[in-house]
Amino acid sequence: QKEVEQNSGPLSVPEGAIASLNCTYSDRGSQSFFWYRQYSGKSPELIMFIYSNGDKEDGRFTAQLNKASQYVSLLIRDSQPSDSATYLCAVRGGGFKTIFGAGTRLFVKA
Amino acid sequence: DTAVSQTPKYLVTQMGNDKSIKCEQNLGHDTMYWYKQDSKKFLKIMFSYNNKELIINETVPNRFSPKSPDKAHLNLHINSLELGDSAVYFCASSQEVSGGGGRNTQYFGPGTRLTVL
């Protein structure tokens, strides 16, 4: 079982719709959860982090965490073509290591 | 005023050669990392240094040797390059904060695309 799993996609949504990206993790001791966005040929950049159960909103982005289900998601409201990228879920336990998922490719159609 | 910088950006070399990649961060962070991202875009941790001390050393061939001369620099030397070493190598840094949370966010450099012929 992979430590951090994401659907590779591509996930295709029309412009203005809500994109829902999901991630599950295997280590119940995980403490911090991150969503990074990576455009083709570029480096990952942080979108949001979350470490408490529930929802966390930042502009058009909402991260949701459910530690009991070992599940974290990212919702993108009013999706724009500029949101088209690969979204990486990253999970950190009690040590220094952060485990990245393989990423979900999102394509927003104009 | 680049936060995390890497050199070179592109590296094309022959099998069997030895090469180095350099990384520098000006964020004042105490922890630095090397990641390898393969053709399938999977980002995998290789090494991490905290205050110049090696704290993460994943299952990586011993042809790869990291070196951290100070907290702001982390270099990666690769001996006897092989075709399978072709990938994008990312350097990242973070500031370790007791209790963690999101404050251990990692900031990535632009990457070094290594092609071994």
Side-chain angles (χ1 to χ4, degrees):
Chain A
Q1 181 190 5
K2 292 180 184 174
E3 294 178 81
V4 178
E5 292 208 50
Q6 296 181 254
N7 188 323
S8 62
L11 173 65
S12 184
V13 300
E15 184 175 359
I18 296 175
S20 178
L21 305 163
N22 305 315
C23 172
T24 58
Y25 60 94
S26 60
D27 182 2
R28 282 196 170 276
S30 299
Q31 299 181 355
S32 306
F33 307 84
F34 305 82
W35 282 101
Y36 286 83
R37 177 176 61 201
Q38 186 174 24
Y39 290 112
S40 181
K42 301 294 184 182
S43 57
E45 55 178 338
L46 181 75
I47 297 176
M48 293 188 70
F49 64 82
I50 185 169
Y51 52 90
S52 300
N53 275 328
D55 295 359
K56 179 181 179 183
E57 188 174 320
D58 183 0
R60 296 187 295 112
F61 299 95
T62 299
Q64 300 173 316
L65 175 61
N66 183 326
K67 289 186 178 179
S69 300
Q70 295 175 246
Y71 174 90
V72 59
S73 66
L74 179 70
L75 301 177
I76 307 175
R77 289 181 300 281
D78 188 23
S79 295
Q80 301 297 308
S82 59
D83 294 327
S84 298
T86 296
Y87 289 80
L88 304 171
C89 172
V91 176
R92 177 171 167 146
F96 288 92
K97 193 159 74 170
T98 299
I99 306 296
F100 284 79
T104 298
R105 285 183 296 141
L106 173 66
F107 179 61
V108 180
K109 298 175 292 185
Chain B
D1 59 345
T2 304
V4 183
S5 59
Q6 293 178 231
T7 55
K9 189 166 184 180
Y10 299 96
L11 187 52
V12 181
T13 187
Q14 299 287 330
M15 267 198 319
N17 284 349
D18 302 339
K19 291 293 178 185
S20 292
I21 307 172
K22 296 187 176 182
C23 178
E24 177 180 0
Q25 55 95 3
N26 62 6
L27 297 168
H29 290 167
D30 61 1
T31 305
M32 297 184 73
Y33 310 79
W34 277 113
Y35 286 88
K36 179 181 181 181
Q37 189 170 47
D38 59 27
S39 57
K40 295 184 179 179
K41 306 302 181 186
F42 186 57
L43 198 63
K44 187 172 180 181
I45 182 73
M46 299 174 69
F47 303 102
S48 178
Y49 276 76
N50 174 257
N51 286 314
K52 299 196 295 176
E53 180 184 348
L54 183 64
I55 55 171
I56 295 176
N57 187 354
E58 290 296 287
T59 307
V60 175
N62 57 15
R63 299 181 294 103
F64 290 79
S65 52
K67 193 165 188 179
S68 181
D70 55 57
K71 287 198 304 182
H73 295 85
L74 179 61
N75 303 323
L76 182 65
H77 188 76
I78 314 171
N79 289 325
S80 302
L81 278 155
E82 299 178 357
L83 293 176
D85 298 332
S86 295
V88 180
Y89 292 84
F90 286 103
C91 175
S93 73
S94 67
Q95 179 61 37
E96 288 303 307
V97 177
S98 177
R103 290 164 289 177
N104 304 112
T105 296
Q106 294 182 27
Y107 295 85
F108 285 81
T112 295
R113 182 173 293 277
L114 171 64
T115 302
V116 182
L117 304 175

